[in-house]
Amino acid sequence: MTQVEARGLVAPGYEEVARAFARNFEEGAEVGAAVTVYRRGRPVVELWRGVANPETGRPWRRDTMAVLASLSKTLVTGAALMLTERGVLDLDVPVAHWWPEFAAEGKGGITLRMVLSHRSGVVALDHRPITYEALRTGTPVVEALAAARPEWPPGTAHGYHATTFGHLVGELVRRTTGLTVGRFVAREIAGPLGLDCHIGLPADAVPRLATSLPSQAETLMSGGENPGTSALLAALADPASLAHRVSISSMAADPMLMDEVTRVQVENPSYDGVASATALARFFAALIGEVDGVRLIGPGLVAELRRVHSTGPCRCLLLPATWGLGVMVPDGPQFPADAGLGTAFGLSGANGAFAFADPEHELSFGYLPNRGSAELGVLDARTRRLVAATYRSLADAA
């Protein structure tokens, strides 16, 4: 490997990824960011650049971590599928088998498969909004989920479980292993693979956390001009809409929840996981093959993970989406085949974070910026450039 401007490593044939990464900075789209690509279980690209904290000027380093946003859900999915592989969980057994209280309000037939494919209908917690204290103790969130009423007949439609996904799956992990999902990820995933990733960031790791920057005001303006996203923007502004209820109304107006550093130190497995870009790429690589002797799930379950379980307009976000089990699959505006992702699976975060794996190409990818996404409801242009460069590099790489 060769040194690339003292900010990482690039294997021969992958120089185009480095050029794409540099272009994102040159065009002013980045403040700080990192990207890592694994091929056949080994890193072939590992780049970082910029500043992790613009206020202090702290540079982005190899071990800098950032908030994953919705990508946190992929760690939770990995935990659930590992337990499915071991026979501890079953995709088609009702959740209430392990969690009897969950059967209330017509939820007795909801299966793990329905939750993972965003078909359970248990998407809103506006009846008992999440607080910092609820996250810290866990029990109030579990009780709120047990008391929740599905927003549609379970299994008949799909809608993004933005707030509830991590807690629903996480409670199954806890009930079957005795470990919170954060502790399970630490012991069974991060530990064996040597990953810098956390659901519940330890206090001593906070100095390595990148500061998240909000999207620019013109971002929402741009989204509003897109007919595909204008309905979502209008819904988010309407307290009676499901889009508002599953996101804004499901989180209490709690000052502690507005403090990112405080929030990420408790377990919020729906969107407050933290990782480095290398940890993301390495985790996804271990889903589809061996990484230093560790593989998380077998090929049969990977095939089931990739199978289309839900497609079409999302009941919650009013945007088209195609889901496998806990991950997006082609084709949709957030995971488009025309970016090269036709044989891949993965997920993006509203903050621009993105990761995927592609079994056919023995490829995985992790990207983390600290500047929020400049686009709404579609694959971020920065990410698209990096993904396209990665796939074009495969022909030139050894």
Side-chain angles (χ1 to χ4, degrees):
M1 289 195 170
T2 56
Q3 193 73 14
V4 179
E5 298 184 338
R7 290 184 294 271
L9 298 170
V10 177
Y14 291 90
E15 293 84 2
E16 187 173 352
V17 181
R19 290 193 290 271
F21 189 62
R23 184 177 169 188
N24 284 344
F25 279 89
E26 290 160 4
E27 293 186 357
E30 301 284 27
V31 174
V35 62
T36 298
V37 179
Y38 265 59
R39 184 89 192 279
R40 298 180 180 130
R42 307 300 299 174
V44 293
V45 174
E46 194 174 18
L47 295 169
W48 58 92
R49 183 172 174 177
V51 295
N53 185 331
E55 289 188 5
T56 65
R58 173 166 54 92
W60 199 294
R61 298 185 173 93
R62 182 180 184 274
D63 64 352
T64 294
M65 295 182 286
V67 177
L68 298 177
S70 288
L71 266 174
S72 307
K73 296 176 175 71
T74 63
L75 297 174
V76 179
T77 296
L81 293 178
M82 289 173 69
L83 291 173
T84 299
E85 187 90 82
R86 297 172 187 178
V88 176
L89 291 174
D90 188 303
L91 294 173
D92 298 309
V93 169
V95 168
H97 172 76
W98 300 283
W99 181 3
E101 301 90 339
F102 185 74
E105 299 292 347
K107 303 193 298 294
I110 292 174
T111 63
L112 175 57
R113 187 187 298 274
M114 290 180 192
V115 175
L116 292 176
S117 56
H118 296 266
R119 302 183 70 82
S120 80
V122 184
V123 293
L125 291 177
D126 51 340
H127 59 295
R128 296 187 192 177
I130 294 174
T131 64
Y132 171 77
E133 186 63 17
L135 290 176
R136 190 184 69 79
T137 61
T139 302
V141 182
V142 172
E143 291 174 345
L145 290 168
R149 180 176 299 171
E151 298 296 329
W152 58 82
T156 64
H158 76 94
Y160 185 48
H161 293 34
T163 306
T164 59
F165 184 96
H167 300 289
L168 286 167
V169 181
E171 182 61 7
L172 290 182
V173 173
R174 190 189 70 82
R175 297 226 171 196
T176 55
T177 69
L179 300 171
T180 65
V181 69
R183 291 176 180 171
F184 183 92
V185 166
R187 191 177 80 176
E188 302 289 339
I189 298 176
L193 285 166
L195 303 184
D196 245 342
C197 73
H198 308 272
I199 299 176
L201 184 67
D204 62 2
V206 168
R208 295 193 285 121
L209 180 68
T211 300
S212 297
L213 305 175
S215 299
Q216 296 174 325
E218 55 264 33
T219 295
L220 291 181
M221 295 295 293
S222 174
E225 294 170 359
N226 182 341
T229 58
S230 58
L232 170 58
L233 291 172
L236 288 172
D238 178 6
S241 74
L242 190 54
H244 192 285
R245 290 177 54 224
V246 305
S247 53
I248 300 169
S249 296
S250 289
M251 302 292 289
D254 183 340
M256 296 290 278
L257 292 179
M258 302 303 290
D259 179 357
E260 181 177 72
V261 172
T262 300
R263 197 180 68 232
V264 298
Q265 291 182 71
V266 297
E267 288 195 25
N268 183 0
S270 287
Y271 45 79
D272 279 330
V274 172
S276 67
T278 293
L280 275 180
R282 191 170 169 87
F283 165 66
F284 271 82
L287 289 174
I288 61 172
E290 283 196 7
V291 177
D292 294 332
V294 177
R295 178 164 185 162
L296 299 178
I297 59 175
L301 200 50
V302 171
E304 192 63 12
L305 165 77
R306 301 171 65 196
R307 185 170 67 81
V308 173
H309 282 71
S310 303
T311 192
C314 169
R315 282 282 187 95
C316 297
L317 301 185
L318 309 177
L319 298 169
T322 302
W323 290 96
L325 292 176
V327 293
M328 282 188 168
V329 294
D331 195 13
Q334 296 177 74
F335 205 83
D338 66 9
L341 297 167
T343 53
F345 63 84
L347 199 60
S348 61
N351 61 351
F354 188 77
F356 73 83
D358 185 334
E360 270 75 5
H361 294 92
E362 300 176 280
L363 182 70
S364 69
F365 174 101
Y367 163 67
L368 288 174
N370 58 1
R371 169 171 281 177
S373 179
E375 297 174 87
L376 183 66
V378 298
L379 185 66
D380 189 288
R382 299 170 296 181
T383 315
R384 178 182 278 270
R385 178 177 290 155
L386 291 168
V387 171
T390 298
Y391 275 98
R392 284 195 298 269
S393 297
L394 297 182
D396 297 328

